[in-house]
Amino acid sequence: MNRKTLVLPAVAGLLAPVLAACGSTTSGGGSGDGIVVGTTDRFEAAEDAPAPFDPAYAYDAGAWNVLRQTVQTLMHVPRGGGAPKPEAAEECLFTDKGNESYRCTLRSGLKFANGDELTAEDVKFSIERVLNIDDDNGPITLLSNIDTVETKGDDQVVFHLKTPDATFPYKLSTPAAGIVDSATYDAKKLRDGFEVDGSGPYTVKPEVRDNRLVRAVFTKNPEYKGDLELRNDKVELRTFADSDEMGRALEAGDIDMMSRTMSPEQIQKLSESPAKGVELVEMPGLEIRYLAFNTADPSVEDKAVRQAMASAVNRNELTSSVYGSTAEPLYSLVPSSIPGHVNSFFNKYGDANVAGARSILRAAGIKTPVKLTLHYTTDHYGSGTAKEFEALGSQLNSTKLFDVTVKGTEWSKFRPAQKRGQYAVYGLGWFPDFPDADNYVAPFLDKDNFLNTPYVSNEIRNKLIPASRRVADRGAAGKTFAKIQDIVAEDVPVLPLWQGKQYVGARDDITGVEWSVNSSADLQLWELGRGVSG
């Protein structure tokens, strides 16, 4: 790797597993038994969400967990974190001092799972397809800094960037830059349904009922050539209605591991008195939860309302009462374990400062109580979300400064409505695309942002984000990120609430569990094997 590529030693050190599962390190690939992993993620093909697994559309942790197994990227973040390494590429590097030109040389002999040859033209096609489709739900913000894509022969591709971006190698490691086959994907239209064709470590066979995925069977791709080592031949991802049903399946031995999303009660039970043959594995996590605002909505258009909410919320009570030790209060968009973090919201508002909230509203001439509806999704982040929003509503109502109603909606309807601006206040979670402060800022505040927010800070968008990306040493970008976080605390387009840990429950004969989910909450199913119960 070129020296200009990011190196994050502080973050890499955080990614060591806390508790390894028992069992031998014997690969499960030779046993012939598929490993079954449970999830409460729901995948639905609907009018507003027709293409759940198209890289030009998919931009949520659940869908990316499918794509990371099947669609290859030029780069990938290694199992312990740190700087990205070549995956479909043999070598990638910046070719200029300004971090504006990035060249990748492909591995020889790459093929898609269907046997079609994979060349630099396929990479160009895939990246330009995301940019050309420009879907409102999609991950275009990760690639929008690309000016042109150039190929040199069959094995070299050069990305010319509009502005310097030291984080670009990370962006090429995400499914947004997944390589797809032009023979099965349209250059200008999404591919509806659940089929995925790629060159990744697995092929996938989806089982669908009533336009919803109920299971996805991943089978080792014999054509795969990349940097990943597969420890199994087959893994099944099975969906469950809720965490309780998933937990019962694990205890009964119907599944081998459960991941997203375990309830706080399950985590506590497995920690204190696990069922026979079942273990709990804790691993570092970088997930955050937050409230976001449609700043053009009359109810929250005045930033004094948003500031008062930031002052009144009691994060300590919220995390302890709903999530216990599995979450901790967060006072910035950037979590505490990421270089560049500062407690901007605490510094400005404190915590549970009702008197401060009252003063803010009085000074702005806002009539109280302020009527608001807090919207949340019922089926995307786990069973704790409903309790969390009930607690938030109660907190705000108890101040007498707000008159809050709480409303839950399933994800397939929630996300499109949020993007259309139908909610004034809504709750979301964020699992980072890559572990850098940039990825907790740009997706919310840059052009083509994930929230489709009307809020614009010209200083953040036109000055501070570009300045931070010119710095190859990410620790040295901390002052710039501190300024961004202070502006966010002043304007409150989003209100950070908490950051969480990650837990996985697994049968004790499954090996590699400690590596099966990285800090960004990405499933790495190739790490799992079947060993001997310990």
Side-chain angles (χ1 to χ4, degrees), residues 6 98-99 145 163-167 436 438 441-442 446 458-484:
L6 296 184
N99 290 352
N145 192 36
T163 59
D165 185 3
T167 70
D436 186 272
D438 178 271
V441 171
D446 209 354
N458 288 320
E459 183 176 5
I460 291 176
R461 185 173 291 184
N462 301 326
K463 179 182 176 183
L464 296 176
I465 289 177
S468 72
R469 289 174 175 170
R470 285 193 289 268
V471 183
D473 178 358
R474 303 310 289 162
K479 290 183 179 179
T480 303
F481 285 119
K483 290 180 182 178
I484 293 173

Side-chain angles (χ1 to χ4, degrees), residues 17 26 142 147 170 227 248 274 374 424 434 465:
T26 303
L142 291 170
D147 187 16
Y170 274 106
D227 193 51
R248 289 192 293 270
L374 302 186
F434 51 88
I465 289 177

Side-chain angles (χ1 to χ4, degrees), residues 4 39 50 53 55 62 64 108 113 127 131 174 181-182 198 206 220 243-245 272 366 402 411 480 483 488 507 528:
K4 296 182 177 65
T39 180
F53 298 149
W64 275 21
S108 62
I127 299 295
L131 296 173
T174 69
D181 189 349
S182 60
K220 186 176 181 179
S243 56
D244 289 337
E245 181 185 356
E272 296 174 354
I366 304 293
F402 299 94
W411 179 252
T480 303
K483 290 180 182 178
V488 171
R507 305 296 304 184
L528 298 174

Side-chain angles (χ1 to χ4, degrees), residues 363-387:
I366 304 293
K367 183 180 178 181
T368 58
V370 179
K371 294 194 70 171
L372 296 171
T373 300
L374 302 186
H375 293 268
Y376 71 95
T377 174
T378 57
D379 58 347
H380 197 64
Y381 299 117
S383 59
T385 310
K387 298 176 183 178

Side-chain angles (χ1 to χ4, degrees), residues 191-232:
R191 184 181 183 182
D192 293 354
F194 298 95
E195 298 294 330
V196 184
D197 290 315
S199 58
Y202 297 99
T203 60
V204 61
K205 182 178 180 181
E207 181 180 324
V208 180
R209 296 176 192 162
D210 300 324
N211 292 322
R212 284 186 173 175
L213 183 82
V214 294
R215 74 182 68 203
V217 178
F218 298 96
T219 303
K220 186 176 181 179
N221 173 14
E223 301 288 356
Y224 172 70
K225 292 186 178 180
D227 193 51
L228 305 176
E229 180 183 350
L230 277 68
R231 292 169 169 79
N232 60 70

Side-chain angles (χ1 to χ4, degrees), residues 314-323 329 351-352 391 394-395 398:
N314 188 332
R315 293 172 180 80
N316 281 293
E317 180 185 82
L318 181 69
T319 54
S320 63
S321 64
V322 179
Y323 294 103
D351 201 49
S394 295
Q395 281 186 14
S398 68

Side-chain angles (χ1 to χ4, degrees), residues 4 31 38 51 81 91 93 189 228 253 255 264 277-279 283 289 324 328 342 407 409 414 428 450 469 471 517 521:
K4 296 182 177 65
S31 69
E91 179 187 53
L93 48 78
K189 188 173 68 174
L228 305 176
I255 64 175
V278 174
E279 292 191 332
M283 45 193 82
R289 298 286 179 90
E328 59 185 14
V342 291
K407 184 176 181 181
T409 306
F414 174 91
L428 282 171
F450 168 76
R469 289 174 175 170
V471 183
V517 182

